[in-house]
Amino acid sequence: MSWGTELWDQFDNLEKHTQWGIDFLDKYAKFVKDRIEIEQNYAKQLRNLVKKYCLKRTPKDEEPRFTFCIAFFNILNELNDYAGQREVVAEEIGHRVFGELMKYYYEIKTERKMHLQEGRKAQQYLESCFKQMDNSKKKFERECREAEKAQQTFERLDNDTNATKSDVEKAKQQLNIRTHMADESKNEYAAQLQNFNAEQHKHYYIVIPQVYKHLQEMDEQRTMKMSESYRGFAEAERKVIPIITKCLDGMVLAAKSVDERRDSQIVVDCFKSGFEPPGDFPFEDYSQHIYRTVSDGTIGTPKSEGIRVEQKMTVGKAKGKLWPFGKKPKGPALEDFSHLPPEQRRKKLQQRIDELSRELQKETDQKEALNKMKDVYEKNPQMGDPSSLQPKLAETMNNIERLKMEIHKNEAWLSEVEGKVIQRGERRHSTEANHLVAQGRESPEGSYTEDSNQEVRVQPQPHIHPEFDDEFDDDEPLPAIGHCRALYPFDGNNEGTLAMKEGEIMYIIEEDKGDGWTRARRQNGEEGYVPTSYVDITLEKNSKGS
């Protein structure tokens, strides 16, 4: 099927059709451009989304450890890679589809213009041939009419008896001239007619079919080009499907990596204090004071002061909070992490020891490298001056010594913490046994009570050590600034500390100065330091010492 034979007389419609095809190509190119912008904006928005929710730079000890957090950040990484693939799609479409389409668009416009110019030129030439033929035809017609008029004039004069011979001769000559001119016009018209018919045949069977063939090939090429661009449009997407599939598989794998048991264990590791749960409260026999006499030798508390203490207790109960079960008390971070619970302190110390060990290994390796370099310089002076390495070597040695001291100091603290944790576990059992024994005693000497009306008595603890003697040898005891109730038992094995039982009430004579210790005094006058977190403190400005 050829446009040249089937559409020989449809030049104007073919011109419109080819123009419509080029306009459609341009419209499709704009569609591709809009798709590229959508892909680019989509990738940009995905990257911004990842950036918004991605983990900011945090200290090493604050990095996420929970599996669901790690899985989420892995998903963000996969999503970032997915956004990169959308950018690849946009780039591939822009290069393979849009770029080639726009290049072809300008080429086909130029080609169409050239073919149409050839068709119009052939059409104009045929029209000029037709005009020449038509002019010769009109001239021949005109000459024939003139010849007929000359013949009629000659015949009229020849039959007229009154006409002179000269008039007849003139009419005859005029007839001959007009007849000759008519014959020449006839020959010219025949030639022009033959030429036009030949040109017309050539136009409709050779020239125009050739032009239409080129237009047809051009239009078919445009259709094929669009088909290729459609396919390239899909291929650009298909190329990234394996990588996108890997991204999605990575997201699924990250989702499967979430382990609720492990996260629960991490919560335990993060917040485990190492303290033992509080033991059972001992039985307090409030009927003992009925059988007591003044000669019992117990240290009593005046009734009025007991009432006052009871009022203070009710007011201050909401004040003190035991931080293993609530918020940690805010205080300055100490070098030995003594402000932390035992288990967390042990973990921090172990972490610091590991970091210091890594730094020590680096410094040691650097020292060995400097010594080797120094030996090379000593054997080959032209390579460098050995003395130039001495400052750096000395600095490295100082760093090594410093790190060793730091490690030794932290290891000592770690040993102390680990020893205390073991002792606490052992002491827990002994404390419970002591409580059982205290409940079976008939002697009134063993317990403390929150009821300040009851007279209480305690055995003095001989754990006042020399390093605290200067603080305890005052001529007059320090005035009490409040009172406290023991929340946990404390053995007071360290120097300057004061042992206490659960529920025991003591006076506060010196507040916690930020080191985690509070100075307290028993009602028998014994003084010492107790852990601030082990007691519920109520401070009163008007309290007096006993």
Side-chain angles (χ1 to χ4, degrees), residues 421-432:
V421 170
I422 295 173
Q423 291 175 8
R424 185 173 292 109
E426 295 174 351
R427 188 168 63 252
R428 170 68 179 162
H429 299 290
S430 62
T431 304
E432 291 178 355

Side-chain angles (χ1 to χ4, degrees), residues 10 50 132 155 163 168 232 242 250 258 318 338 350 393 482 504 520 523 534:
Q10 298 297 322
V50 171
Q132 291 177 3
E155 290 177 353
V168 174
V258 177
S338 59
Q350 185 63 53
L393 192 59
E504 183 175 355
Q523 296 186 13
Y534 277 45

Side-chain angles (χ1 to χ4, degrees), residues 16 71 74 87 146 161 180 185 187 225 255 354 455 490:
K16 292 179 181 179
N74 289 338
E87 292 175 347
E146 293 294 332
T161 56
H180 179 70
S185 298
N187 293 333
K225 197 71 177 178
D354 294 340
E455 296 180 357
F490 181 64

Side-chain angles (χ1 to χ4, degrees), residues 19 21-23 25-27 29-30 33 97-115 218 222 225:
Q19 182 61 45
I22 292 177
D23 292 341
L25 179 66
D26 182 50
K27 186 176 182 180
K30 291 179 180 178
K33 183 179 179 181
V97 180
F98 182 74
E100 294 183 5
L101 274 179
M102 294 307 297
K103 181 180 177 182
Y104 181 71
Y105 171 75
Y106 293 112
E107 291 177 356
I108 194 175
K109 282 183 68 175
T110 304
E111 183 181 356
R112 174 181 174 275
K113 183 178 180 181
M114 182 184 66
H115 294 324
M218 180 199 71
R222 175 190 61 81
K225 197 71 177 178

Side-chain angles (χ1 to χ4, degrees), residues 469-508:
D469 285 348
D470 294 339
E471 299 179 9
F472 297 154
D473 287 344
D474 297 332
D475 294 336
E476 295 182 0
L478 294 174
I481 59 175
H483 66 275
C484 66
R485 181 173 62 86
L487 299 172
Y488 291 96
F490 181 64
D491 54 9
N493 289 335
N494 294 334
E495 295 180 352
T497 59
L498 183 63
M500 61 182 179
K501 298 180 181 179
E502 294 180 17
E504 183 175 355
I505 295 177
M506 295 177 291
Y507 293 105
I508 301 298

